[in-house]
Amino acid sequence: MRKLRSQSWFGGLGKDAFIHRSWMKNNGLPDDAFDGRPVIGICNTFSELTPCHIHFRGLVEHVKAGVLEAGGLPLEFPVFSCGESNLRPTAMLFRNLASMDVEEAIRGNPIDGVVLMAGCDKTTPSLMMGAASCDLPAIVVSGGPMLNGRYQGRAIGSGTDVWKFSEQVRAGEMTAEEFAAAENAMSRSPGHCMTMGTASTMASMAEALGMTLPGNAAYPAVDAHRNRLARLSGRRMVQMVMDDLRPSAILQKNAFINAVRVAGAIGGSTNAVIHLIALAGRLGVPFTLDDWDRYGRDVPTILDLMPSGRFLMEDFCYAGGLPAVMKEIAHLLEKDAKTVSGITMGEQIATAHNYNPEVIRPVSNPLTQDGGLAVLRGNLAPNGAILKPSAATPALMVHRGRAVVFETIEDYKARIDDPALEIDEHSIMVLKNCGPKGYPGMAEVGNMALPKKLLEKGVRDLVRISDARMSGTAFGTVVLHVAPEAAIGGPLALVKDGDWIELNVPARSLQLMVSDEEIAARRQHWTPPSHEMKGGYQSLYVERVLQADQGADLDFLVGCRGHAVPRESH
Ligand code: FES
């Protein structure tokens, strides 16, 4: 076998190798642990502040067992854990920070290949981005979704039902006691959100990209299949090191095309757009916002999962999981794409079976014909904006309405339930200064809740436009990721109350019906919002973050910096 990278630390008889081995032996490793066998890093995002990963201490033991069985040396290390439910001002602010941690931890250590333990929304992209910039063999093991929520005899979904319940409370249709009872019924086991939110979407994206073993996306966190898959992934990683099978060989353009098509078929989260563009950027793969529209446009959504549909991830697993979805849309896929399994994607899904055509519907009877993400352009979003048709109201897909403008999310919160707010069912809600630089970190606030007075009238959706993101579990006719964002003077910054706006999703257009002269005049008087930054990471982020259409990566992180062995430390 060729000399492995880890031998640059552990091989030989000199002082340096003595130091590297001797200190490692303090945890009981015998001499033969350093005999040239593959050293497999296990990148663990366990944290008690990331509840979606609370079972990772146990799950990594299965990965380690697999590595040992295949003759490797497993070494677990912690990295920044991007938990969605607790991190403020938004976990997205830290995705890039976490990716830097992952990249530098892999490169700086005696590691030949790495198992990436992902789960909650931002962890999957941050781990893959960091690993891609290093380009050592890497495989993703997801933590898996929670069991389905159960409340009053019916299934309830993470996030999706929170938004619904909270609107029902505001509309007087649900009591505070019932709301509290639902809180105890939603999160029933370890695991990440069990709707097709961003976590389940990104686990599916990792699988569609070929970065996981088949079936990884859907097994519940507490299913023994999950532990088995972790063990098999550990074994497989050892072989990947032997074969030098690296992310750059897997994450090629055809893999991204597959991911876009799968995202449409599963009704995936809008957040996948930003994460996949950022991931492609780390490897220099040409993959743009327009590719999302081009390759996703004719893909029907066939998975009937919340928030677009009815079921949850547990049902998805029992129906056959992602391989069954991919087999249903096999005619749309790039079957030659490589996978971590060592076989092509076409070979990997050949034996998949759909056990429940109610959950995974046939292409001939889809949930939505237009499943891809619509990329909108126009004078309000010169560099693009997106909308998820499967989560939107069909009647609002072509709509003209007057803007009700909120300058910040605080402005929105302060005025949304003011009885004097001039808003009706035809209005278009516009939210500014929630983009990558403006928030900062591009918060998931784009699916602004409707004003109480409209909810009480039975209105359940309005067109909403912002430079923010929205939770993958959310729904509505919501235009997101408007670029350039308001905080850097994008046209969104110049919208005023009462302006007419025209949304035309079939034509992929978003227009502010104000003359160019008037827009130019408003720009003369525009001043950028001030940031009260006190240095630290947030200042660096605001200074260097790219816009949404470029993946909101930090400009200096774009690209692959490889895994050359760094110079000796002593
Ligand atoms: Fe972690 Fe939803 S909060 S996946």
Side-chain angles (χ1 to χ4, degrees), residues 95-96 99 124-133 275 278-279 282 553:
R95 182 200 65 178
N96 300 338
S99 80
T124 308
S126 66
L127 290 166
M128 287 202 292
M129 287 161 67
S133 282
H275 298 323
L279 177 61
R282 294 301 184 101
D553 204 354

Side-chain angles (χ1 to χ4, degrees), residues 24 79 114 220 292 310 367 403 414 424 439 459 481 509 539-540 563:
M24 290 298 285
V79 288
V114 64
W292 272 93
R310 296 171 293 163
L367 186 68
D424 63 26
Y439 194 74
V459 179
H481 309 182
S509 142
S539 291
L540 176 69
H563 50 265

Side-chain angles (χ1 to χ4, degrees), residues 444-457:
E444 291 188 336
V445 295
N447 56 311
M448 295 166 270
L450 270 45
K452 202 170 168 199
K453 65 181 180 185
L454 290 188
L455 289 171
E456 285 168 351
K457 276 173 65 181

Side-chain angles (χ1 to χ4, degrees), residues 6-306:
S6 56
Q7 282 297 298
S8 299
W9 280 260
F10 296 143
L13 298 171
K15 164 186 69 84
D16 294 338
F18 174 109
I19 291 170
H20 294 303
R21 288 191 302 253
S22 178
W23 265 258
M24 290 298 285
K25 286 179 177 177
N26 73 1
N27 63 16
L29 290 172
D31 285 341
D32 62 11
F34 308 103
D35 61 3
R37 66 188 66 197
V39 176
I40 307 301
I42 304 175
C43 197
N44 196 352
T45 44
F46 167 82
S47 163
E48 289 183 344
L49 288 163
T50 304
C52 304
H53 297 195
I54 207 67
H55 57 307
F56 276 25
R57 278 178 170 158
L59 194 58
V60 291
E61 295 307 318
H62 294 279
V63 177
K64 287 182 191 171
V67 172
L68 288 168
E69 284 161 3
L73 172 64
L75 294 173
E76 178 188 343
F77 62 99
V79 288
F80 190 100
S81 188
C82 253
E84 194 70 26
S85 59
N86 286 323
L87 266 175
R88 292 181 180 180
T90 168
M92 181 63 179
L93 178 64
F94 306 107
R95 182 200 65 178
N96 300 338
L97 178 66
S99 80
M100 274 200 279
D101 183 0
V102 172
E103 177 185 344
E104 301 300 339
I106 296 172
R107 185 181 298 112
N109 276 301
I111 288 171
D112 301 310
V114 64
V115 179
L116 308 168
M117 305 292 297
C120 197
D121 298 14
K122 305 302 175 292
T123 57
T124 308
S126 66
L127 290 166
M128 287 202 292
M129 287 161 67
S133 282
C134 244
D135 201 25
L136 272 175
I139 192 169
V140 174
V141 173
S142 300
M146 288 186 261
L147 296 174
N148 292 355
R150 297 294 301 179
Y151 174 64
Q152 293 183 342
R154 71 175 183 89
I156 57 171
S158 318
T160 302
D161 276 302
V162 180
W163 319 132
K164 282 189 181 147
F165 291 155
S166 105
E167 298 218 336
Q168 283 170 8
V169 170
R170 288 166 39 138
E173 296 163 359
M174 187 181 200
T175 66
E177 291 72 30
E178 287 170 325
F179 191 63
E183 179 184 310
N184 288 324
M186 185 163 283
S187 307
R188 293 177 46 234
S189 78
H192 59 68
C193 293
M194 82 314 260
T195 40
M196 188 47 76
T198 305
S200 298
T201 300
M202 290 312 298
S204 300
M205 292 296 90
E207 188 169 337
L209 286 165
M211 288 295 290
T212 77
L213 292 184
N216 172 74
Y219 291 127
V222 294
D223 192 317
H225 279 298
R226 172 71 49 198
N227 295 337
R228 252 194 304 277
L229 188 132
R231 197 174 185 119
L232 292 172
S233 299
R235 285 187 195 171
R236 179 65 199 147
M237 173 43 61
V238 175
Q239 188 59 46
M240 286 173 67
V241 170
M242 312 273 202
D243 298 342
D244 198 24
L245 179 55
R246 291 180 272 126
S248 56
I250 296 167
L251 296 172
Q252 298 194 348
K253 181 78 182 239
N254 55 4
F256 285 92
I257 292 171
N258 284 344
V260 169
R261 294 198 156 135
V262 167
I266 63 176
S269 161
T270 46
N271 285 321
V273 178
I274 294 189
H275 298 323
L276 261 57
I277 289 174
L279 177 61
R282 294 301 184 101
L283 285 163
V285 176
F287 178 68
T288 65
L289 197 53
D290 290 325
D291 285 330
W292 272 93
D293 207 319
R294 183 176 309 128
Y295 296 112
R297 194 161 194 151
D298 300 321
V299 180
T301 299
I302 58 169
L303 186 61
D304 194 348
L305 241 65
M306 293 183 201

